Amino acid sequence: MPKSFKIILASGSPRRQQFFKELDLNFEIRLKEIDEVYPETLRAEEITNYIAREKARAFEGSLADDELLITSDTLVWLNDRALGKPKDYDDAVAMLQQLSGVTHEVITSVCFKTSASEALLFDKTKVTFASLDLEAIHYYLNRYQPFDKAGAYGIQDWIGLVGIAKIEGSYTNVVGLPTEKVYRFLTTHYLKIVVLLKG
């Protein structure tokens, strides 16, 4: 029988925190800042895997034996290039113009770390935008301020209602966490977390 662990979510994202609540998991939020830089040779999920691991390794030596740390990273991958969080308003405009009318991938990696082990999973979702005119882009950026989001958009926002033509794969992955994969991993490897720590 798997050991019971206390879940530590190392994410300041309100969206990821809400997903964990909706999964009926008890968890504690514990944050550490890291520089989200990565070797230039990395591509696609290699980038998110690297950053998710680096976020977890920031807690090296500080986890109790009964704690399970969960970290994650999401990026938008377009034309063999990563679109992270926009640097400023103009950068956000440029990103949405690049995404307009084309298909890109959203990749999220999740790292599970205990004091004795580490595991990683990732998911990819294809998202196709409808054509976006500048008026719609400026309206969205001014109204919703998506500057903390990879690719300068949140699919759960207004832009997702009016600007997404097609999605292939996990919707929650695009929001920032592949909940089905995460829950299945937890129930496969750490079943007592779900059974004992609800409510």
Side-chain angles (χ1 to χ4, degrees), residues 9 28 76 78 83 97-98 113-114 127-128 146 197:
L9 177 62
E28 172 188 326
V76 168
L78 174 68
L83 299 183
Q97 287 179 313
Q98 292 175 65
K113 183 175 181 61
T114 70
V127 179
T128 303
L197 297 187

Side-chain angles (χ1 to χ4, degrees), residues 158-176:
W158 177 84
I159 199 77
L161 298 176
V162 305
I164 301 298
K166 184 168 66 171
I167 178 171
E168 299 174 64
S170 167
Y171 169 84
T172 63
N173 182 57
V174 184
V175 179

Side-chain angles (χ1 to χ4, degrees), residues 116-130:
S117 66
E118 182 180 290
L120 191 80
L121 64 79
F122 70 90
D123 200 13
K124 294 183 177 183
T125 305
K126 289 185 178 180
V127 179
T128 303
F129 264 97

Side-chain angles (χ1 to χ4, degrees), residues 26-198:
N26 280 352
F27 63 96
E28 172 188 326
I29 297 167
R30 198 178 295 171
L31 303 176
K32 287 194 178 184
E33 292 293 326
I34 71 158
D35 291 327
E36 296 185 18
V37 296
Y38 54 87
E40 293 182 1
T41 55
L42 299 185
R43 293 290 180 268
E45 69 272 12
E46 294 174 343
I47 297 171
T48 52
N49 287 349
Y50 180 90
I51 294 176
R53 281 196 180 104
E54 288 299 297
K55 289 178 178 179
R57 288 170 183 169
F59 290 82
E60 195 79 55
S62 65
L63 293 176
D65 290 343
D66 65 345
E67 291 180 335
L68 171 65
L69 178 75
I70 300 177
T71 63
S72 58
D73 187 66
T74 299
L75 65 72
V76 168
W77 188 251
L78 174 68
N79 297 329
D80 201 37
R81 190 167 70 88
L83 299 183
K85 298 171 186 176
K87 301 182 186 71
D88 51 32
Y89 186 93
D90 289 341
D91 192 32
V93 171
M95 284 185 180
L96 291 176
Q97 287 179 313
Q98 292 175 65
L99 295 172
S100 175
V102 300
T103 299
H104 63 274
E105 284 188 321
V106 177
I107 307 169
T108 299
S109 295
V110 184
C111 185
F112 304 84
K113 183 175 181 61
T114 70
S115 59
S117 66
E118 182 180 290
L120 191 80
L121 64 79
F122 70 90
D123 200 13
K124 294 183 177 183
T125 305
K126 289 185 178 180
V127 179
T128 303
F129 264 97
S131 294
L132 302 173
D133 58 32
L134 265 176
E135 184 180 4
I137 289 172
H138 287 304
Y139 173 82
Y140 174 61
L141 294 178
N142 288 321
R143 171 88 179 197
Y144 290 91
Q145 306 281 312
F147 307 115
D148 65 333
K149 298 177 175 69
Y153 81 93
I155 196 170
Q156 71 277 17
D157 295 341
W158 177 84
I159 199 77
L161 298 176
V162 305
I164 301 298
K166 184 168 66 171
I167 178 171
E168 299 174 64
S170 167
Y171 169 84
T172 63
N173 182 57
V174 184
V175 179
L177 189 77
T179 54
E180 187 273 335
K181 279 192 172 184
V182 168
Y183 191 80
R184 178 153 41 93
F185 183 89
L186 289 173
T187 54
T188 299
H189 297 87
Y190 304 98
L191 181 63
K192 289 180 71 177
I193 291 176
V194 179
V195 172
L196 295 181
L197 297 187
K198 286 175 66 174

Side-chain angles (χ1 to χ4, degrees), residues 16-25 27:
R16 291 185 183 126
Q17 293 173 14
Q18 186 60 33
F19 277 143
F20 269 72
K21 291 175 185 175
E22 292 171 355
L23 288 170
D24 285 340
L25 297 170
F27 63 96

